[in-house]
Amino acid sequence: MSNTVKSLSDQAVQELVAKLKQAIATGTYQPGEWLKQIDVERSYNVNRFTVRSALSELHSNGFLQHVPYKGYRVTEHSLQERIAITEARELIECAAAARVIANMDSAGLQRLESLAFEFRDALNAEDRPRMMKVNFAFHRCFNDYCRNPHLSRMVDELRERGVGNANRGWTKRSTQEASAQDHLDMVEALRDKNLVRLQALIHIHLNRWRQGYDSLSS
């Protein structure tokens, strides 16, 4: 295989990996759901080699479970695993908050505020896929201002890996509305350069999903 062909093949695999991650995160594929190779081939118009390579990579990164002789299914985290993922995100994002504040500029504030309003609009329209997509964009923009691409990728993967299993908490309208307000409050904390307030908001926002679990609030 020539280097050019190999490069195109690798690119196709990474593009499919990105699309499948987004599909998992937005609930197109639910936790525990099987991903049939032939269905992925048809849905994304890719060949068998690309699908196999993408599924293998997602398995290696913890997004999929592989069951011998059966195939791949979306990883279904236990409640304790979901809590651990949230704690990891909180530690990283709170630590990065000071650098985000230091690096934030007017363009970033404008972009974040626009995404916060777009999220609220999607909520009012009851457009859940759009809500999830905009939510990711908001947090990706926020973390990009840490100016550390390795940290941004790490947070992205933790978020993508855990959000699909937090659907139970997101079913409450009150939780969705509170999350929408969190985004706007985070923008204001950034504008005011209030680190303590921002870190408190990060903690509250990342733990909203717990409101769907009565055992955690009792």
Side-chain angles (χ1 to χ4, degrees):
M1 182 182 294
S2 70
N3 290 335
T4 300
V5 173
K6 187 175 186 300
S7 177
L8 290 173
S9 176
D10 291 343
Q11 181 179 344
V13 171
Q14 292 310 310
E15 287 176 354
L16 180 58
V17 166
K19 290 176 181 177
L20 290 175
K21 280 184 179 180
Q22 183 175 12
I24 291 169
T26 56
T28 301
Y29 297 119
Q30 294 289 325
E33 183 176 346
W34 293 93
L35 270 67
K36 295 182 180 179
Q37 181 175 299
I38 187 64
D39 291 341
V40 176
E41 288 179 34
R42 291 171 177 170
S43 296
Y44 296 93
N45 193 28
V46 290
N47 61 42
R48 183 175 301 179
F49 172 80
T50 298
V51 173
R52 285 180 176 174
S53 299
L55 294 180
S56 178
E57 181 168 332
L58 288 168
H59 169 246
S60 298
N61 292 333
F63 291 92
L64 299 178
Q65 295 174 325
H66 180 246
V67 180
Y69 307 111
K70 288 189 176 181
Y72 294 90
R73 62 184 177 187
V74 179
T75 298
E76 188 167 12
H77 298 297
S78 67
L79 178 58
Q80 291 306 313
E81 287 172 330
R82 176 62 183 141
I83 291 172
I85 289 172
T86 301
E87 289 176 345
R89 279 192 62 191
E90 185 178 340
L91 285 170
I92 295 170
E93 294 190 43
C94 282
R99 293 190 61 177
V100 172
I101 286 178
N103 294 323
M104 185 56 60
D105 54 27
S106 58
L109 286 171
Q110 185 176 359
R111 173 63 175 160
L112 285 169
E113 188 169 52
S114 175
L115 289 167
F117 284 124
E118 188 177 347
F119 179 89
R120 193 176 64 181
D121 291 343
L123 168 60
N124 291 334
E126 299 183 353
D127 187 344
R128 180 178 172 80
R130 183 178 163 214
M131 284 171 57
M132 301 297 287
K133 183 178 180 179
V134 174
N135 185 58
F136 290 158
F138 179 93
H139 288 284
R140 184 171 293 114
C141 178
F142 178 94
N143 288 305
D144 280 349
Y145 272 85
C146 183
R147 301 306 189 204
N148 185 320
H150 299 287
L151 181 145
S152 294
R153 282 196 297 271
M154 187 185 304
V155 173
D156 276 352
E157 289 196 357
L158 286 170
R159 180 171 58 251
E160 290 166 346
R161 191 175 301 169
V163 167
N165 292 273
N167 285 339
R168 181 174 168 183
W170 270 69
T171 57
K172 290 186 176 182
R173 175 76 181 194
S174 59
T175 302
Q176 296 171 355
E177 291 174 344
S179 295
Q181 187 59 50
D182 289 343
H183 291 152
L184 292 167
D185 291 343
M186 289 171 70
V187 173
E188 286 305 307
L190 282 168
R191 186 173 283 121
D192 295 339
K193 298 186 182 299
N194 189 332
L195 177 59
V196 174
R197 173 65 172 155
L198 182 59
Q199 290 175 328
L201 287 166
I202 290 171
H203 167 76
I204 292 169
H205 186 66
L206 294 185
N207 286 279
R208 289 283 182 200
W209 67 271
R210 295 179 185 237
Q211 295 173 12
Y213 292 82
D214 296 334
S215 62
L216 292 179
S217 57
S218 60

